[in-house]
């Protein structure tokens, strides 16, 4: 953890620009309210027809009881699955203009029938590319059968400065929660991310109630500020708290971070580290291998084959960022993931690949796992992160 020496005034936009974040915050709240209560902005891949402005309107349920604080808390504590069943993951994969095909490559590399996936192309991508991405999802026989991949119809403007990125992330989370899908953990990735372990490797770990993030303490006001990575892995129960916010604290923090240049690098971190229930679950790691420019360590360097050994030694399950179809991705597919067809094969793929079709064309029991060598690397990382010495330094 590193204490931030900058003042709040230095981190915020100037007072003369207060109207922009004010109206942006109103847009954030309006988006979240509509997403959480009506279920708008998802473009299902199983629709027979779709257009540039296609939006799926789901039937509204009687949600009056959800706005009672006691009911919200009860729903929160009852969420999730029993510890007997292996956890399920929910992924948000984001991209911009020209990213649709590498989004599909990342999706296929992290795909597992147990998980849920939501894809978002931002406003820079033309409508045709978004529809092409939707068609790719719709026409995939596995996605069509399992029905666990969806494309957001709303093309949000993502500037990576201000609240736009965190607003889009919260919107995707609200959609996943609204649709009552079975998932336990949320992971956000970009089209330039790629896994270094198989999904069966991720399932080797037990269902710990731990939230993954990165924090650095900042100058406190009425609450302490924390900053870190925009890439996080967080539990469903924590995200329910962020969306419903029965004590109003998550909304207070969201309003506060509207005025920050990079709210994704502080919002989740500040909420979790100021909550007595969740602060003990925070771990200072974003599960990525990232090579930063030096100096000034503000932007990730593009990875290549020469970074392969360093990625491997990091024991991280993900890495970023990669150029589209860089040769290092082929090496990762071959040496780390064992990918020969559309998907990274797991125990759920029971077909044959010996001169025949993709083994994942034949789907077996998705509750059976076959961890590969990556699981051993991930276990080493987790042992260090879950040690008492490391845990004692979080949120401080």
């Amino acid at each position: 953890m590193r204490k931030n020496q900058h003042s709040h005034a230095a981190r915020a936009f100037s007072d003369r620009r207060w109207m922009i974040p004010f109206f942006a915050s109103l847009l954030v709240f309006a988006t979240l309210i509509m997403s959480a209560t009506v279920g708008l902005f998802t473009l299902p891949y199983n629709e027979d027809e779709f257009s540039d402005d296609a939006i799926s309107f789901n039937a509204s349920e009687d949600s009056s009881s959800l706005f009672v604080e006691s009911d919200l808390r009860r729903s929160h504590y009852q969420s999730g699955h029993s510890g007997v069943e292996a956890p399920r993951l929910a992924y948000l994969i984001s991209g911009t203009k020209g990213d649709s095909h590498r989004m599909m490559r990342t999706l296929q590399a992290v795909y597992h029938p147990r998980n849920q996936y939501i894809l978002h192309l931002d406003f820079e991508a033309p409508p045709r590319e978004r529809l092409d991405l939707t068609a790719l999802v719709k026409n995939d026989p596995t996605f069509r059968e399992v029905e666990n991949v969806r494309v957001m119809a709303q093309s949000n403007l993502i500037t990576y400065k201000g609240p736009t990125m965190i607003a889009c992330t919260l919107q995707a989370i609200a959609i996943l929660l609204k649709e009552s899908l079975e998932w336990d953990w949320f992971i956000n990735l970009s089209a330039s991310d790629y896994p270094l372990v198989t999904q069966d490797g991720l399932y080797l770990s037990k269902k710990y109630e731990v939230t993954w993030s990165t924090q650095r303490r900042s100058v406190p006001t009425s609450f302490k500020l924390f900053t870190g990575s925009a890439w996080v892995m967080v539990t469903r129960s924590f995200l329910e708290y962020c969306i419903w916010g029965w004590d109003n604290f998550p909304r207070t923090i969201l309003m506060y971070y509207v005025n920050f240049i990079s709210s994704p690098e502080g919002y989740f971190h500040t909420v979790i580290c100021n909550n007595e229930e969740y602060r003990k679950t925070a771990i200072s790691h974003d599960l990525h291998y990232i090579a930063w420019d030096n100096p000034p360590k503000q932007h990730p360097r593009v990875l290549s084959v020469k970074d392969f050994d360093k990625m491997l030694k990091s024991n991280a399950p993900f890495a970023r960022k990669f150029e589209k179809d860089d040769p290092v991705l082929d090496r990762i597919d071959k040496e780390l993931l064992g990918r020969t067809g559309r998907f990274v094969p797991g125990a759920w793929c029971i077909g044959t690949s010996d001169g025949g079709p993709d083994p994942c064309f034949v789907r077996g029991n998705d509750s059976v796992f076959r961890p590969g060598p990556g699981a051993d690397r991930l276990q080493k990382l987790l042992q260090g992160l879950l040690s008492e010495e490391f845990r004692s330094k979080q949120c401080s």
Side-chain angles (χ1 to χ4, degrees), residues 202-247:
L202 289 178
Y203 282 112
L204 179 66
S205 303
K206 296 180 181 179
K207 184 181 171 183
Y208 296 107
E209 284 299 322
V210 176
T211 299
W212 305 93
S213 58
T214 305
Q215 313 89 14
R216 287 184 291 119
R217 187 165 69 175
S218 183
V219 178
T221 55
S222 59
F223 45 82
K224 294 181 180 180
L225 301 180
F226 295 83
T227 60
S229 176
W231 312 105
V232 298
M233 182 174 182
V234 288
T235 62
R236 178 178 181 135
S237 62
F238 173 68
L239 293 175
E240 287 176 337
Y241 170 65
C242 290
I243 295 296
W244 295 115
W246 42 83
D247 62 359

Side-chain angles (χ1 to χ4, degrees), residues 8-78:
H8 165 59
R11 295 292 303 274
F13 294 125
S14 64
D15 291 340
R16 289 176 296 176
R17 299 173 63 185
W18 68 269
M19 292 186 66
I20 296 177
F22 173 75
F23 286 111
S25 66
L26 293 180
L27 179 60
V28 170
F29 288 132
T31 299
L32 292 179
I33 290 296
M34 290 198 307
S35 298
T37 59
V38 186
L40 298 181
F41 309 128
T42 52
L43 186 59
Y45 51 83
N46 57 351
E47 292 290 332
D48 293 333
E49 298 179 356
F50 50 85
S51 64
D52 288 358
D53 298 317
I55 293 179
S56 171
F57 290 86
N58 296 332
S60 298
E61 300 176 356
D62 182 9
S63 58
S64 59
S65 62
L66 295 179
F67 296 92
V68 180
E69 181 177 344
S70 60
D71 289 343
L72 284 173
R73 288 183 178 273
R74 182 168 60 254
S75 173
H76 160 65
Y77 289 124
Q78 292 176 350

Side-chain angles (χ1 to χ4, degrees), residues 11 24 34 48 57-58 67 81 122 124 129 174 197 209 217 250 267 281 302 328 330 334 340 342 351 358 373 382 390:
R11 295 292 303 274
M34 290 198 307
D48 293 333
F57 290 86
N58 296 332
F67 296 92
H81 306 290
D122 68 21
E124 293 296 320
E129 183 176 8
V197 301
E209 284 299 322
R217 187 165 69 175
Y267 173 73
T281 70
V302 174
V328 69
D330 296 329
K334 180 180 179 180
T340 58
R342 293 176 306 152
D358 186 335
L382 293 180
F390 190 88

Side-chain angles (χ1 to χ4, degrees), residues 93-109:
I93 303 176
S94 304
T96 187
K97 181 179 180 181
D99 278 346
S100 58
H101 286 280
R102 66 174 180 169
M103 286 177 70
M104 282 296 295
R105 180 169 185 167
T106 299
L107 167 65
Q108 291 169 342

Side-chain angles (χ1 to χ4, degrees), residues 177-196:
L177 292 175
K178 168 61 183 177
E179 295 185 1
S180 300
L181 302 174
E182 295 182 341
W183 53 273
D184 305 283
W185 297 84
F186 173 83
I187 301 174
N188 63 331
L189 299 176
S190 73
S192 61
D193 290 22
Y194 211 68
L196 303 179

Side-chain angles (χ1 to χ4, degrees), residues 279-298:
R279 64 178 302 163
K280 297 179 181 179
T281 70
I283 298 294
S284 181
H285 200 285
D286 60 10
L287 302 183
H288 277 69
Y289 172 80
I290 302 176
W292 297 96
D293 60 342
N294 186 24
K297 294 186 177 181
Q298 291 186 345

Side-chain angles (χ1 to χ4, degrees), residues 280 282-283 381-394 396:
K280 297 179 181 179
I283 298 294
L381 175 65
L382 293 180
Q383 287 173 344
L385 297 179
L386 295 175
S387 66
E388 185 63 30
E389 179 183 2
F390 190 88
R391 294 282 302 278
S392 64
K393 301 176 183 178
Q394 311 309 302
S396 61

